[in-house]
Amino acid sequence: MGEVLKVFISATTADLGAVRAAVRDFFSDHQQYKPVEQEHFGPAAETLLEMDRRKLAGCDAVLHLVGECYGHEPPLAGGSRRSYTQLEHDHALGKPLYLFVCEDSFPYAAHAPEPEEKQVLQRAHRQAILAGHHKYERIADLAALAEQLRLVDFADIRKNEEIRVLRANLVDERDAIRLALSQHIRRRSAEETGKLDHARDWEKIAEWEAMRDQQLADVDRFLDQIDRAFAQNEASANYRTAGQILAERGAAEALRFLQAKSGEREARLALHRRARAMEDQAIRELLREKLLEASLREKELQFDQAEAVYREVIRDGGAWSEPRHELARLLSERGIVIEPAAGNAKLREAVEVWRGLLHLQPREEDPESWAKTQNNLATALWNQGTRAEGAESLRLLGEAVTAYRAALEVYTRTQLPQAWAMTQNNLATALGDQGKRAEGAESLRLLGEAVTAYRAALEVRTRAQLPQAWARTQNNLAIALCEQGTRAEGAESLRLLGEAVTAYRAALEVRTRAQLPYYWRRTQGNLAISLHALADRSETAEAERLRAEAEAIDQELASEP
């Protein structure tokens, strides 16, 4: 065992350079640890990536700080993009890994903003860690990090060093172990076939010889399996002892040792199973309390505090999806009502959380939950798209449309008619907003698809069964038809605007002045706009009648208190 153990410190320089220096000083003050960094100064005979891997390979543990910067990346060579710092996290597999995630309010060093694509990649890395199974700690500032470092038990670095040394010994002895195993397999096969009559039992002998050859061919895979257990830090004390016995005294002695430990092992497994079930139940009950607390904070309009509690539950809840749904919902709801810059940030994070949930809850495991998440993701993207401009708006609305269509693969009219109709209405709204922002033939195509989706929703959202939803969808249908009509020409324009007027009138059968005055005023105003547009395109006498009707509505609305 080496006297000094090396800890690789992984962090981006732009936002966390000073923090990395503080961590380096912490380890430098402890003589048993040596901090190792990759400053990414110019490479010499080896590339930066090779240098990083070499330094990591020689370390006993990795401490990875997750900030807001993506940092530099190796030249693209296919596959997903990863920065040097993210790759340091990835290459830490098999070593003790200590993760520290900076809170949104962390006082980062001043730095130039990165391109949006890099910000997206770093947010995805951050969300993957938050949604993963590896333990991490959140840090609000440098003082909090210092306190966490003092609390961390680094004993498993020593354990990892012991395993590393034993693994190295097994690698060094691999040829000798392979030879001893091969000889053992041949000897055991000879013992078994020696008990048989070669004339009468030739088929059984052939079976034994075939199985012998299979086992001989499998020796290297078997040794790789042992090496993998050490590499992934999954070798228990008994496993390590059995490995030593295998190297020194052979397979039979290693097997006898493990058999002698079987009673102890089964007892410990039973204990762990009971403890895990009890612990999981106890943890879930406590986290349920915290979910209730977060919900009650929302009811008290303490939104920042509620968000913080949801994040705590996610941190302690492992792969539990419910708190992630709740956080994403709150982020979405807050995102559309608070000031635009902060609201857009919350909507972006909501999208990240919904995307993470799609991986956490695959379609094949729970189709309805997957479809619900797709619908929620689409709505967050739609809200982003309606706030953005130009090409960015069209991109986000296009992603929303894709997610709504994905939900409709599960939400079928036959199996889930209400969810199907709701999603058709949502899809139509996103298509309509796309159509308003597009131009020419593309605009008409998108608006036409929106009209088709609204009409599909009305097949389930009937006036008799769901009068409010029916009226709302009729109003939305009318808006899309009016948008189509104002972009079309000639008879087609008249037809579409006429259908818009008809749909607005249908909505007003439910949205009455007495029952729903707010929606009555909005729908009446939209009806007047459509009548004016229809009058502008009609012949003289019909134009006068339509304009008179529109003006009468305008006057009625103007006289409203």
Side-chain angles (χ1 to χ4, degrees), residues 472-538:
R472 183 165 58 252
T473 306
Q474 287 282 10
N475 182 77
N476 293 340
L477 169 63
I479 292 171
L481 286 164
C482 188
E483 289 286 347
Q484 267 192 303
T486 56
R487 286 166 167 76
E489 296 179 357
E492 179 68 3
S493 175
L494 288 171
R495 180 185 68 79
L496 292 165
L497 289 169
E499 290 183 12
V501 166
T502 300
Y504 279 130
R505 293 194 196 282
L508 287 166
E509 295 172 12
V510 172
R511 292 182 163 187
T512 64
R513 186 175 190 174
Q515 297 294 321
L516 298 162
Y518 171 76
Y519 289 110
W520 174 81
R521 283 192 295 271
R522 288 186 60 182
T523 309
Q524 282 279 45
N526 289 338
L527 172 60
I529 292 170
S530 294
L531 288 167
H532 278 299
L534 192 56
D536 292 341
R537 291 161 173 77
S538 300

Side-chain angles (χ1 to χ4, degrees), residues 29 51 73 107 219 257 281 326 331 391 399 435 457 497 519 544 550:
D29 291 340
M51 191 185 300
E73 62 183 358
V219 166
F257 169 79
Q281 179 65 24
E326 292 300 319
L331 290 169
E399 290 183 13
L497 289 169
Y519 289 110
E544 290 178 0

Side-chain angles (χ1 to χ4, degrees), residues 162 165-167 169-170 177 226 230 237-250 254:
E162 294 175 6
V165 172
L166 176 56
R167 181 189 178 195
N169 291 338
L170 289 173
I177 297 171
I226 294 174
F230 283 96
N238 285 342
Y239 193 106
R240 300 197 295 274
T241 301
Q244 286 182 304
I245 294 173
L246 173 66
E248 296 169 3
R249 288 180 278 163

Side-chain angles (χ1 to χ4, degrees), residues 352-399:
E352 291 176 16
V353 177
W354 292 129
R355 290 196 195 281
L357 279 163
L358 289 174
H359 295 289
L360 197 62
Q361 291 181 307
R363 176 176 174 176
E364 56 271 17
E365 290 184 7
D366 190 344
E368 286 191 41
S369 293
W370 180 85
K372 180 181 178 181
T373 301
Q374 288 281 13
N375 187 78
N376 291 335
L377 167 63
T379 301
L381 287 164
W382 171 76
N383 279 314
Q384 278 190 287
T386 56
R387 287 169 165 235
E389 297 178 356
E392 179 68 2
S393 175
L394 286 171
R395 180 185 69 80
L396 290 165
L397 290 170
E399 290 183 13

Side-chain angles (χ1 to χ4, degrees), residues 505 524-536 542-560:
R505 293 194 196 282
Q524 282 279 45
N526 289 338
L527 172 60
I529 292 170
S530 294
L531 288 167
H532 278 299
L534 192 56
D536 292 341
E542 180 65 7
E544 290 178 0
R545 184 187 69 78
L546 292 166
R547 192 166 287 109
E549 185 178 354
E551 289 172 353
I553 294 173
D554 290 336
Q555 291 173 3
E556 183 179 21
L557 292 176
S559 66
E560 283 283 301

